[in-house]
Amino acid sequence: SQQGEEDPQALSIQEGENATMNCSYKTSINNLQWYRQNSGRGLVHLILIRSNEREKHSGRLRVTLDTSKKSSSLLITASRAADTASYFCATDGSDYKLSFGAGTTVTVRA
Amino acid sequence: DAGVIQSPRHEVTEMGQEVTLRCKPISGHNSLFWYRQTMMRGLELLIYFNNNVPIDDSGMPEDRFSAKMPNASFSTLKIQPSEPRDSAVYFCASSSGTEDTQYFGPGTRLTVL
C-alpha cells in the first residue's frame, strides 16, 4: 500500500523556472526520502530528511518536512531539461522497508 | 562501483512459461528488495531480504511468484507459470544496514503475451 501521496500528479514548467511538488503521508516516520526516475530507468536517490529536521538542501534541491502536517515538499530551482523525470517520495516503515507514492511527473520545456 | 545489476533487461515470453529475473546487489549491502512497477499500481514492494534471509514476502502476489537469495551477491525472482497480468517492470534494490537509502537497478521489463 502507498503511504506517501504526491501532488500534483504532473507538472509542466519552462526551463529556468522552479518546480515544487508535495508529498503527504499517513503514519509517523523516521525519515522521508525523495527519488527521481528518468524514463526507462531505475529510481535514483536524491535526498533524505530525518523526522527531526525541517529543511535540507542539496545543490538545486530543497526539501522541507512538516511532521505536524505529515507533509513534505521538494523544490527544484532553476530547472533544466535534464530535470524532466518522475519524482517519488518514500517513507520508511519498520525493517528498512520503504513505501513509495505514485509520483509527480515533471516536464521541463526548453 | 558497478551498482545494482539486473538481467535480463527485457524479457518477452508467452503465458504459461517460467520466467527468472536475476539481481546482483552492491557489494557489502546486506538488504535486498524486489519491486514491481506498473502504471495502474505504481511501485510495489514484493519481497525483501536481510542477510540473505527473506524478512517480508507479504507483497508477493501469489504462489506463482517465488524469490531466493542463495548468497550475498545474487538473488532471483521466479514466476511460474507467467500470466499477461504479470507484465511490468521489475526492480531490484539494495541497501546497507547502516543507512536507509536504497540503490535501484535498471529494471527488467517483462512482457507476457
Side-chain angles (χ1 to χ4, degrees):
Chain A
S1 62
Q2 293 175 348
Q3 152 90 301
E5 294 293 335
E6 290 90 346
D7 172 62
Q9 288 187 331
L11 184 59
S12 180
I13 56 174
Q14 201 75 29
E15 201 165 23
E17 292 180 340
N18 295 343
T20 300
M21 59 212 84
N22 304 296
C23 169
S24 59
Y25 57 92
K26 299 184 179 118
T27 60
S28 297
I29 60 171
N30 294 317
N31 63 63
L32 185 144
Q33 303 181 45
W34 286 91
Y35 287 78
R36 182 188 72 225
Q37 184 179 31
N38 292 90
S39 180
R41 303 286 187 94
L43 279 73
V44 174
H45 178 258
L46 295 176
I47 195 165
L48 179 152
I49 186 165
R50 301 204 180 277
S51 61
N52 61 354
E53 297 176 309
R54 292 295 167 259
E55 187 171 312
K56 202 160 183 180
H57 296 255
S58 177
R60 294 183 296 111
L61 305 179
R62 173 178 168 254
V63 169
T64 63
L65 179 64
D66 187 335
T67 53
S68 67
K69 295 181 180 178
K70 291 187 170 60
S71 68
S72 173
S73 69
L74 171 65
L75 167 68
I76 306 172
T77 60
S79 62
R80 306 167 181 169
D83 295 327
T84 294
S86 291
Y87 293 82
F88 297 86
C89 68
T91 53
D92 70 321
S94 58
D95 298 327
Y96 304 107
K97 287 171 61 173
L98 293 180
S99 293
F100 287 85
T104 293
T105 300
V106 174
T107 303
V108 181
R109 306 185 307 274
Chain B
D1 278 334
V4 175
I5 299 172
Q6 291 187 249
S7 65
R9 292 294 310 277
H10 302 273
E11 177 82 27
V12 180
T13 190
E14 292 190 347
M15 183 174 63
Q17 296 298 306
E18 177 180 297
V19 174
T20 299
L21 311 181
R22 297 173 176 79
C23 174
K24 177 178 169 55
I26 292 173
S27 177
H29 282 186
N30 60 355
S31 293
L32 184 140
F33 307 81
W34 282 101
Y35 292 90
R36 178 173 67 178
Q37 186 177 40
T38 61
M39 289 293 292
M40 290 296 293
R41 300 174 68 90
L43 196 64
E44 303 173 278
L45 176 65
L46 300 177
I47 186 171
Y48 90 98
F49 295 84
N50 187 251
N51 292 323
N52 312 337
V53 176
I55 302 300
D56 186 341
D57 65 355
S58 59
M60 295 286 260
E62 46 198 274
D63 292 345
R64 297 184 297 107
F65 285 68
S66 62
K68 292 182 181 179
M69 192 163 186
N71 57 63
S73 59
F74 184 65
S75 177
T76 60
L77 177 67
K78 186 177 292 187
I79 308 172
Q80 166 64 19
S82 58
E83 295 182 3
R85 60 190 169 125
D86 301 330
S87 297
V89 181
Y90 291 81
F91 289 102
C92 174
S94 69
S95 71
S96 152
T98 59
E99 62 177 277
D100 303 310
T101 300
Q102 294 185 15
Y103 297 83
F104 282 74
T108 294
R109 182 173 295 277
L110 174 65
T111 303
V112 183
L113 304 174

